[in-house]
Amino acid sequence: MTQSLEDYLEAVSFLADSGAVRVTDIASRLGVSKPSVLVALRSLEERGLLEHERYRGVVLTEIGAVEAAAIRDRHEFLTAFLRDVVGVSQEIAEKDACRMEHVLSEETMSRMRVIASCSDGKG
């Protein structure tokens, strides 16, 4: 899955926490046009990750919810790691985590989690 599609899936997941998810909400959150959202939603729907009915909103499938949770976990971990272990500001941590979450290998993420657990007194 592309970085862009992961961003859309993550946005749908975050928005679903607050209730119904509309195309307008996704476009606003990501700063993109509604037609761009519709193209991405079609692709995510073809992959079985969500369902979108015009005028009814967007709903994650079970598989989509699992995938979105994994993406959110990576993002949240990286944000906390950059803020708490590396010592950058929350704003920078958020921006950098958003970029990093798509490109780091599982091996790197695993090692970072070990470092984080050691640095917070748990390991």
Side-chain angles (χ1 to χ4, degrees), residues 67-94:
E67 186 74 27
I71 294 166
R72 286 178 70 168
D73 177 66
R74 286 174 68 94
H75 181 96
E76 290 165 7
F77 168 76
L78 287 167
T79 299
F81 182 88
L82 293 170
R83 183 191 60 233
D84 302 340
V85 177
V86 178
V88 300
S89 70
Q90 177 69 25
E91 181 180 347
I92 296 298
E94 280 286 339

Side-chain angles (χ1 to χ4, degrees), residues 37-101:
V37 173
L38 292 171
V39 169
L41 292 180
R42 192 172 309 117
S43 181
L44 291 167
E45 193 166 23
E46 288 170 359
R47 295 166 186 257
L49 299 173
L50 57 77
E51 295 174 357
H52 172 235
E53 288 187 40
R54 194 171 178 157
Y55 306 116
R56 294 201 141 205
V58 180
V59 179
L60 293 171
T61 63
E62 189 174 326
I63 295 166
V66 169
E67 186 74 27
I71 294 166
R72 286 178 70 168
D73 177 66
R74 286 174 68 94
H75 181 96
E76 290 165 7
F77 168 76
L78 287 167
T79 299
F81 182 88
L82 293 170
R83 183 191 60 233
D84 302 340
V85 177
V86 178
V88 300
S89 70
Q90 177 69 25
E91 181 180 347
I92 296 298
E94 280 286 339
K95 287 178 182 176
D96 287 349
C98 193
R99 289 188 213 86
M100 293 170 67
E101 71 190 58

Side-chain angles (χ1 to χ4, degrees), residues 67-82 85-86 97 100-101 104-123:
E67 186 74 27
I71 294 166
R72 286 178 70 168
D73 177 66
R74 286 174 68 94
H75 181 96
E76 290 165 7
F77 168 76
L78 287 167
T79 299
F81 182 88
L82 293 170
V85 177
V86 178
M100 293 170 67
E101 71 190 58
L104 292 178
S105 68
E106 284 304 315
E107 180 180 358
T108 298
M109 286 293 296
S110 179
R111 292 297 304 146
M112 290 174 75
R113 288 181 193 277
V114 168
I115 292 167
S117 68
C118 290
S119 72
D120 67 9
K122 294 180 186 172

